[in-house]
């Protein structure tokens, strides 16, 4: 279901599922990935946990991942069901 949400919402046009970079970070190994981002003008270290990912979908310019430009991703107001499906989909894209 989450793969369908990602496709229907256009996520896969900018985010890969295989680790390659397009416009935005890949969904592969995204869950719990440590990253550097700019938040409120300061460089910070964050972990891409569920809360961070949901916030990034709803408010994509809150944290701009190092190496990427802000203002590229629109804000998405997904249903709780679709958000949960996306998170579950992202979880399947982790290397074991």
């Amino acid at each position: 279901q989450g793969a369908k949400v990602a496709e229907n919402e256009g996520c896969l046009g900018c985010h890969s599922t295989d680790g390659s970079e397009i416009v935005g970070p890949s969904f592969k190994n995204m869950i719990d990935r440590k990253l550097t981002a700019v938040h409120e003008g300061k460089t910070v270290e964050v972990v891409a946990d569920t809360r961070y990912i949901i916030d990034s979908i709803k408010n994509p310019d809150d944290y701009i991942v190092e190496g990427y430009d802000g203002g590229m991703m629109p804000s998405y107001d997904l249903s709780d069901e679709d958000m949960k499906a996306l998170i579950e989909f992202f979880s399947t894209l982790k290397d074991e």
Side-chain angles (χ1 to χ4, degrees), residues 8-79:
N8 291 341
E9 295 295 333
C11 306
L12 302 178
C14 295
H15 300 275
S16 76
T17 58
D18 64 3
S20 62
E21 293 187 19
I22 307 175
V23 176
S26 179
F27 290 151
K28 183 170 182 151
N29 295 317
M30 179 174 55
I31 298 286
D32 296 328
R33 174 171 45 195
K34 292 180 184 177
L35 48 90
T36 302
V38 175
H39 176 65
E40 297 179 352
K42 296 180 182 172
T43 300
V44 296
E45 297 288 323
V46 295
V47 174
D49 58 10
T50 300
R51 183 174 54 184
Y52 169 85
I53 292 169
I54 290 170
D55 181 61
S56 292
I57 292 169
K58 292 181 176 183
N59 306 294
D61 287 332
D62 275 0
Y63 290 85
I64 305 298
V65 176
E66 186 175 59
Y68 297 95
D69 294 325
M72 301 295 289
M73 182 172 153
S75 176
Y76 290 89
D77 187 21
L78 302 177
S79 69

